[in-house]
């Protein structure tokens, strides 16, 4: 007897439809054969499935069971096939029959006692189910139901066990579809605890952060240890605009596929902040593996990637950032396929001015030699530096500011300015893929960054004196456009260009 069920398999962060075909036929000895390019986790599932059926009160067929996962050329690597395979075996052996198999996809891992366990990528699978015209809904483990229920236009049926799933398909149990209210989720989970009010002094750095958040620019901070670079970076998400529902689902898909969603958090409602250690590998940063999986730059999508102690990173690892910084996506190519992951993030990097960290610090002596400093700084290439829009110095905070009773600029005040600038950019780029000034193409720069003669003269002299590249020239114009937006100015003036140029302090002319 043959049974067919619908399910999904993850490839990267995308869910692809898979058909589970189960055939039970007479044989001298019981045997289960699994075909369809299963990986180790799927091959081992035959043992889990057998015990889960017996412990749930069903009979294990004493015949030959052939399970085919189609399409055969697609690698199957997750344990989410346990539930559809179990139901298929029960149907093919005559222990249950249902007309709902054609209407609902099924995903879920099983414990030996028949309970369901959470499934990675439930959100992507629910999105894929919406695109399947023949499907009415998707059956998922109870712990993954709130995540999948975020998707509109599909019934999400939560099941806690194999027995409950069997009861639903036979009509013995009616299960209400899970629901999720995005507004409530954002209200409950959308608060950001870190606030710039806690940062003493560093008003110039806060100004730079406001520009970074307003235009989605990249930032590099240079300063002695203990100046507050890490503390400032951790608070950047608190001044960025709130995630839109579309951005939240985009980002949550990545975390769901990696199994990184926290219990009780079906949706990411705050912008991600990732801070990998400097020993990270190329694959850990951009993604990789025989079956590609996302790296840190994709986990930072719609958020912030913070690289502390930038020169301590392997130079080759840093160089792989160059293409994603420009394209906002990263493509991992393998012999059989290529997988593209989103990587639209704000890069914030921090470094010391020298190996000991106290070069130009008035309170401490630096004993680093010039060759040592040059070797230290040479770990960061010019092409990577070109891609960082804003480069500032973060000096040590004076004792007077550390002990002052008055607090500095808060995140709420900074976000108000950011929202004003973003509103102007929304009007400017309405109908385009570009959303922020930091993403403007060369054609858009020529259109939206028209300069007066005085501005052109200042920019020309700066480019010649600093030896700026064409890319750095465009970065200055993008930053100047954002500075003008913060002032709600439709035109770029000389002081906007001057401030943007001052943020290029580490370019080639001043690097050594």
């Amino acid at each position: 007897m043959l049974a067919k069920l619908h399910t999904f398999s993850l490839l990267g962060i995308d869910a692809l439809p898979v058909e589970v075909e189960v055939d039970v036929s007479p044989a001298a000895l019981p045997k289960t054969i699994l075909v369809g390019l299963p990986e180790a986790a799927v091959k081992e599932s035959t043992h889990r499935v057998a015990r889960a059926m017996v412990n749930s009160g069903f009979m294990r067929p004493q015949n030959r069971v052939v399970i085919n996962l189609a399409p055969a050329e697609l690698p199957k690597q997750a344990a989410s096939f346990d539930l559809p395979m179990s139901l298929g075996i029960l149907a093919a052996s005559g222990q249950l029959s249902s007309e709902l198999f054609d209407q609902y996809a099924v995903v879920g891992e099983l414990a030996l006692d028949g309970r369901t366990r959470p499934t990675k990528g439930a959100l992507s699978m629910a999105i894929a189910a919406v695109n399947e015209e023949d499907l009415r809904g998707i059956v998922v483990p109870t712990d993954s139901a709130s995540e999948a229920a975020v998707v509109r236009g599909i019934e999400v049926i939560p099941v806690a066990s194999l027995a409950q799933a069997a009861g639903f398909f036979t009509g013995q149990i009616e299960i209400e579809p899970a629901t999720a209210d995005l507004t409530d989720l954002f209200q409950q989970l959308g608060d950001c605890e870190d606030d710039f009010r806690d940062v003493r002094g560093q008003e110039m750095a806060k100004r730079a952060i406001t520009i970074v958040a307003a235009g989605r620019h990249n930032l590099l901070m240079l300063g002695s240890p203990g100046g507050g670079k890490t503390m400032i970076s951790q608070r950047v998400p608190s001044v960025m605009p709130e995630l839109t529902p579309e951005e939240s689902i985009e980002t949550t898909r990545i975390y769901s596929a990696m199994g990184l969603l926290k219990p009780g958090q079906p949706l990411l409602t705050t912008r991600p902040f990732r801070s990998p250690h400097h020993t990270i590998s190329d694959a850990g940063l951009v993604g990789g593996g025989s079956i590609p999986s996302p790296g840190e730059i994709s986990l930072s999508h719609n958020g912030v990637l913070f690289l502390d102690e930038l020169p301590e990173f392997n130079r080759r690892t840093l160089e792989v950032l160059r293409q994603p910084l420009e394209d906002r996506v990263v493509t991992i190519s393998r012999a059989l396929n290529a997988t593209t992951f989103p990587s639209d993030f704000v890069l914030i990097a921090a470094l010391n001015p020298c190996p000991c960290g106290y070069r130009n610090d008035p309170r401490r002596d630096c004993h680093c030699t010039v060759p040592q400093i040059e070797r230290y700084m040479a770990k960061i290439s010019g092409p990577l530096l070109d891609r960082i829009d804003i480069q500032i110095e973060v000096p040590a905070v004076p004792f007077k500011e550390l002990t002052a009773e008055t607090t500095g600029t808060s995140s709420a005040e900074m976000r108000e300015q950011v929202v004003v600038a973003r509103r102007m950019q929304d009007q400017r780029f309405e109908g385009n893929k570009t959303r922020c000034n930091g993403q403007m193409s060369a054609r858009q720069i020529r259109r939206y960054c028209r300069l007066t003669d005085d501005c052109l003269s200042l920019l020309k002299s700066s480019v010649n004196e600093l030896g700026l590249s064409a890319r750095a020239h465009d970065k200055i114009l993008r930053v100047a456009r954002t500075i003008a937006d913060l002032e709600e100015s439709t035109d770029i003036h000389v002081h906007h260009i001057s401030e943007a140029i001052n943020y290029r302090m580490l370019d080639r002319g001043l690097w050594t």
Side-chain angles (χ1 to χ4, degrees):
M1 189 172 176
L2 179 66
K4 295 182 180 181
L5 289 89
H6 299 284
T7 187
F8 294 96
S9 177
L10 279 181
L11 185 63
I13 62 172
D14 297 317
L16 302 179
V18 171
E19 189 172 51
V20 179
E21 300 173 332
V22 183
D23 180 76
V24 177
S25 57
L29 293 173
K31 186 176 183 180
T32 301
I33 302 171
L34 184 58
V35 296
L37 209 58
E39 298 291 334
V42 184
K43 290 178 181 178
E44 294 172 351
S45 65
T46 57
H47 304 292
R48 288 194 301 272
V49 165
R51 298 319 304 165
M53 287 191 297
V54 172
N55 293 328
S56 298
F58 299 102
M59 295 290 294
R60 176 187 178 186
Q62 298 301 307
N63 298 311
R64 182 175 62 183
V65 179
V66 179
I67 304 172
N68 179 41
L69 306 177
E73 70 274 5
L74 177 68
K76 323 296 190 307
Q77 61 170 340
S80 60
F81 296 101
D82 290 6
L83 187 56
M85 286 166 52
S86 300
L87 292 171
I89 293 173
L90 295 177
S93 62
Q95 298 182 61
L96 68 83
S97 62
S98 176
E99 297 179 354
L100 299 179
F101 285 149
D102 292 333
Q103 302 177 35
Y104 289 88
V106 185
V107 297
E109 180 183 348
L110 291 177
L112 295 182
D113 60 0
R115 291 180 295 108
T116 57
R117 285 179 169 152
T119 297
K120 290 183 180 180
L123 178 58
S124 293
M125 293 177 183
I127 293 172
V130 173
N131 299 325
E132 297 291 318
E133 296 180 358
D134 298 334
L135 291 182
R136 175 179 162 190
I138 182 171
V139 177
V140 301
T142 301
D143 291 340
S144 300
S146 58
E147 175 188 332
V150 170
V151 181
R152 303 300 185 200
I154 194 79
E155 290 184 15
V156 177
I157 307 299
V159 293
S161 65
L162 172 59
Q164 188 178 14
F168 169 76
F169 278 103
T170 57
Q172 298 175 348
I173 301 175
E174 289 187 5
I175 302 177
E176 286 294 321
T179 58
D181 190 323
L182 292 182
T183 304
D184 288 346
L185 288 174
F186 273 87
Q187 289 178 349
Q188 295 172 11
L189 306 172
D191 293 334
C192 193
E193 297 179 357
D194 295 325
D195 196 298
F196 270 100
R197 182 182 288 109
D198 304 327
V199 179
R200 299 287 181 170
Q202 305 297 7
E203 291 300 317
M204 177 183 173
K206 291 183 181 181
R207 167 66 175 176
I209 292 295
T210 304
I211 298 170
V212 165
R216 289 185 70 90
H217 301 287
N218 300 318
L219 170 69
L220 184 144
M221 294 183 286
L222 176 78
S224 302
K229 302 185 292 296
T230 302
M231 189 177 184
I232 290 170
S233 302
Q234 291 171 341
R235 284 156 176 74
V236 173
S238 69
V239 302
M240 298 177 74
E242 294 182 355
L243 280 172
T244 64
E246 294 77 13
E247 288 177 332
S248 178
I249 290 175
E250 281 179 7
T251 309
T252 305
R253 281 182 65 203
I254 302 170
Y255 280 72
S256 172
M258 298 291 288
L260 296 177
L261 287 178
K262 299 176 181 178
Q265 186 182 20
L267 197 67
L268 286 178
T269 54
T270 57
R271 295 189 179 273
F273 177 86
R274 304 292 298 184
S275 179
H277 192 260
H278 61 75
T279 56
I280 191 170
S281 65
D282 301 1
L285 189 61
V286 301
S290 56
I291 297 178
S293 60
E296 288 290 338
I297 64 173
S298 296
L299 293 170
S300 307
H301 181 59
N302 289 322
V304 175
L305 175 66
F306 176 51
L307 302 182
D308 200 5
E309 305 297 344
L310 189 65
E312 300 299 333
F313 283 79
N314 185 290
R315 176 162 179 154
R316 177 181 167 182
T317 302
L318 291 178
E319 293 306 300
V320 299
L321 283 174
R322 286 158 56 173
Q323 180 263 334
L325 282 172
E326 291 292 317
D327 298 344
R328 310 283 176 176
V329 295
V330 58
T331 300
I332 310 296
S333 298
R334 294 293 178 263
L336 297 179
N337 56 47
T339 306
T340 299
F341 298 121
S343 58
D344 188 1
F345 59 92
V346 172
L347 173 66
I348 298 182
L351 71 156
N352 297 326
C354 64
C356 78
Y358 296 104
R359 182 187 181 196
N360 297 329
D361 190 328
R363 302 175 303 177
R364 301 284 295 271
D365 292 331
C366 171
H367 300 288
C368 300
T369 63
V370 173
Q372 285 177 323
I373 295 172
E374 290 179 347
R375 281 195 301 271
Y376 181 74
M377 293 300 191
K379 294 180 181 180
I380 307 172
S381 68
L384 178 62
L385 194 63
D386 261 352
R387 288 168 168 80
I388 300 178
D389 310 40
I390 298 176
Q391 305 151 6
I392 62 169
E393 184 177 6
V394 181
V397 182
F399 179 79
K400 182 179 179 180
E401 293 184 6
L402 284 175
T403 55
E405 295 184 1
T406 57
T407 59
T409 309
S410 67
S411 293
E413 295 169 335
M414 296 167 68
R415 181 182 277 188
E416 287 178 6
Q417 301 177 57
V418 170
V419 169
V420 169
R422 284 293 182 96
R423 192 179 300 121
M424 293 190 68
Q425 292 169 64
D426 289 341
Q427 296 172 358
R428 178 180 304 127
F429 301 121
E430 186 176 2
N432 296 327
K433 291 183 179 179
T434 303
R435 292 180 292 177
C436 300
N437 293 332
Q439 303 170 342
M440 282 195 293
S441 64
R443 181 180 299 177
Q444 289 171 327
I445 290 174
R446 290 193 295 271
R447 179 178 178 182
Y448 298 120
C449 300
R450 299 183 184 278
L451 303 180
T452 63
D453 291 341
D454 291 340
C455 292
L456 282 172
S457 176
L458 175 61
L459 183 60
K460 178 181 178 181
S461 61
S462 300
V463 168
N464 291 336
E465 289 177 10
L466 297 178
L468 301 179
S469 66
R471 182 183 288 111
H473 166 273
D474 289 351
K475 294 288 186 187
I476 289 174
L477 292 178
R478 292 187 182 104
V479 172
R481 179 67 271 170
T482 301
I483 295 171
D485 288 346
L486 287 169
E487 297 180 4
E488 298 186 71
S489 172
T490 56
D491 298 323
I492 297 177
H493 300 295
V494 172
H495 66 279
H496 300 146
I497 291 289
S498 177
E499 183 176 356
I501 292 170
N502 286 335
Y503 291 134
R504 301 295 302 184
M505 64 166 291
L506 296 181
D507 264 309
R508 293 187 185 95
L510 297 177
W511 185 242
T512 55

